[in-house]
Amino acid sequence: MSTTLETDICILGGGIAGLWLNARLRQQGFSTLLLETATLGGGQSIKSQGIIHGGTKYALHGKLTTAAEAIAAMPGRWRDCLEGNGELDLTPVRLLSPFHYLWSPGGLVSNMAGFFASKALRGRVDAVKGEALPAVFQSPRFKGKVYRLAELVLDVPSVIERLTELAGHSLVAAEPISIERDDNNQIACVRSGDLTIKAQRYVLTSGEGNQALQADWGVEQPAMQRRPLQMVLVKGPQLPGLYAHCLGSSPKPRLTVTTHPTADGQWCWYLGGELAEQGVDLPAAELIARARKELGELLPWVDLDDSQWATLKVNRAEPAQSGLVRPDSAYVQGVHNALVCWPTKLALSPHLSDLVLEQLQQAGVTPRTAQPVHALPQPTAATPIWDTCF
Ligand code: FAD
């Protein structure tokens, strides 16, 4: 039986961007429907490392960029939410680490030390020593330096779970979606199987899926870029908690390690950074061998003998930039009666929803329609990758 629902805002895609925006819009009194064709968070979001960046990673060449400035407010906003004082109540979300760290394996950081101690970074990068060091660096064999960043690391599956709760009945498990346009190229409605949705505004937050939606709609701009990664996962019963970027000789982290709890009671190190960028085209076994060697050199006192290893290929989907560089901030582009969005970082989802709210306000879009009542199936949350990759 066909169903037509009307809502203020129709959101396409339930990753972090769509779910965060949905919660903010509902809070502002808008009726919403969020359509998800697979699982909530199952695109990039659940595959992310969960670091709520404050921009320090982008300052590793020794100066603050616009990106570093734009993202600087994000850790504070997320912390407020975790403490129940922010724009969304994220008190049930699991904090994996209150800080992310930066470590230099040898004397390399000495030429960065002045910069880290500079006024610009005060309160954002603090040297730590002795008992303040994370346990993994307390080995007598560790000879490097460690800096604590004003950044935090979250358990992303629990963020998705909480945002799903905040969505109430606004979520819909959709079949493949088609966009119907009118003579002016505006979106007339969105169809999914027997369901038709009409809205004041449509918001595309489908990550990599935005490209196909735009093609279906017949709109080429904004163009999207993919930046691929091959991440490495190491699982073991005794892995110590490690949340840190390892400094290398380039402005990008040589290695970024986060640690995640698995369903079978073990811990998983999730390895990104240059290892994952440069290993994109390597066979999994070769990249794993490279990762083993890297960890053996950097943290030789950590016992990895009984660990299991896996890799995961994943694309970062973002607005196209010249030279495949990383965009600077969250991205929202108005196209006719829709907004095409990419947060570019999980951490920037609050910024993305600010930009959407601003654009709605500028266009005079206000809450008008009551929240539609429906009995359509709801999408389920994605399973954490550390429980599916091994
Ligand atoms: P997605 O999470 O991909 O969500 C899009 C959703 O849309 C999916 O659920 C998908 O199923 C759905 N969809 C697709 N097509 C359709 C359609 N036609 N109709 C309806 N729904 C559709 N950022 C950080 O801030 N910190 C980090 O530590 C971090 N680590 C990362 C590590 C890796 C390996 C990667 C790849 C990225 C990382 N990022 C990180 C970036 C971050 O993950 C992304 O910027 C963010 O998750 C993108 O969210 P999204 O909601 O736009 O997309």
Side-chain angles (χ1 to χ4, degrees):
M1 199 185 73
S2 65
T3 310
T4 301
L5 297 175
E6 290 197 21
T7 184
D8 289 324
I9 313 290
C10 173
I11 301 172
L12 302 179
I16 189 74
L19 286 168
W20 188 288
L21 174 66
N22 187 40
R24 284 286 305 279
L25 288 169
R26 282 166 56 79
Q27 201 184 49
Q28 309 277 320
F30 287 96
S31 58
T32 62
L33 286 172
L34 183 158
L35 272 58
E36 168 57 56
T37 47
T39 51
L40 297 167
Q44 287 171 83
S45 298
I46 207 96
K47 296 164 192 147
S48 82
Q49 295 192 278
I51 306 163
I52 304 303
H53 299 282
T56 325
K57 165 169 124 161
Y58 310 127
L60 295 185
H61 45 30
K63 60 179 196 288
L64 283 174
T65 60
T66 343
E69 285 305 308
I71 205 168
M74 292 303 128
R77 274 176 81 169
W78 281 83
R79 268 190 221 279
D80 285 347
C81 293
L82 293 178
E83 288 163 8
N85 306 317
E87 61 216 65
L88 298 178
D89 176 3
L90 298 188
T91 46
V93 167
R94 181 170 180 176
L95 178 67
L96 290 177
S97 175
F99 298 105
H100 196 61
Y101 293 85
L102 196 62
W103 105 85
S104 109
L108 185 88
V109 88
S110 54
N111 53 356
M112 296 287 286
F115 173 60
F116 286 164
S118 70
K119 206 169 145 201
L121 289 184
R122 200 162 298 153
R124 288 167 68 176
V125 182
D126 297 307
V128 284
K129 290 183 183 150
E131 287 181 2
L133 285 170
V136 65
F137 295 120
Q138 295 200 4
S139 161
R141 293 170 72 189
F142 177 61
K143 301 288 178 235
K145 287 204 167 101
V146 178
Y147 293 84
R148 191 176 62 203
L149 308 181
E151 304 184 350
L152 50 156
V153 188
L154 299 180
D155 176 50
V156 176
S158 71
V159 178
I160 300 294
E161 189 183 334
R162 178 60 184 153
L163 293 175
T164 303
E165 283 167 11
L166 294 178
H169 291 290
S170 61
L171 305 180
V172 178
E175 295 175 31
I177 287 170
S178 62
I179 291 180
E180 202 162 293
R181 57 183 160 160
D182 66 16
D183 295 342
N184 300 321
N185 233 1
Q186 306 241 15
I187 298 182
C189 65
V190 162
R191 293 193 199 281
S192 164
D194 292 336
L195 173 67
T196 302
I197 295 180
K198 294 185 175 176
Q200 292 192 59
R201 284 290 183 279
Y202 300 83
V203 185
L204 276 61
T205 50
S206 288
E208 209 170 349
N210 278 356
Q211 198 174 42
L213 283 171
Q214 286 177 245
D216 183 39
W217 175 16
V219 163
E220 282 177 11
Q221 295 297 327
M224 191 187 90
Q225 71 182 23
R226 290 179 175 83
R227 286 190 304 133
L229 292 170
Q230 185 168 194
M231 305 289 285
V232 178
L233 297 90
V234 195
K235 183 165 92 161
Q238 307 290 350
L239 284 183
L242 176 54
Y243 302 90
H245 301 299
C246 175
L247 279 171
S249 49
S250 88
K252 288 186 174 178
R254 172 173 168 183
L255 191 68
T256 298
V257 188
T258 48
T259 313
H260 305 267
T262 65
D264 59 2
Q266 301 193 52
W267 289 93
C268 177
W269 274 2
Y270 192 33
L271 311 179
E274 282 199 315
L275 176 83
E277 293 209 2
Q278 293 174 357
V280 160
D281 296 323
L282 291 181
E286 212 172 301
L287 182 59
I288 287 171
R290 195 181 276 193
R292 270 184 183 278
K293 185 163 171 280
E294 191 77 334
L295 290 176
E297 272 174 28
L298 294 171
L299 303 161
W301 57 91
V302 176
D303 181 4
L304 297 172
D305 282 352
D306 293 327
S307 328
Q308 289 172 262
W309 296 75
T311 70
L312 175 76
K313 287 194 171 187
V314 54
N315 291 322
R316 289 160 294 178
E318 305 158 337
Q321 312 287 298
S322 56
L324 266 194
V325 293
R326 181 186 48 79
D328 271 356
S329 57
Y331 181 89
V332 175
Q333 171 74 54
V335 185
H336 303 295
N337 58 343
L339 297 164
V340 180
C341 310
W342 289 279
T344 76
K345 282 266 137 206
L346 177 120
L348 283 162
S349 303
H351 183 225
L352 183 141
S353 60
D354 291 347
L355 297 175
V356 170
L357 286 165
E358 264 169 46
Q359 295 222 15
L360 293 179
Q361 197 185 19
Q362 279 164 16
V365 178
T366 52
R368 222 168 52 194
T369 319
Q371 180 64 36
V373 178
H374 69 84
L376 299 162
Q378 297 222 9
T380 54
T383 307
I385 47 160
W386 16 95
D387 295 325
T388 54
C389 278
F390 295 98

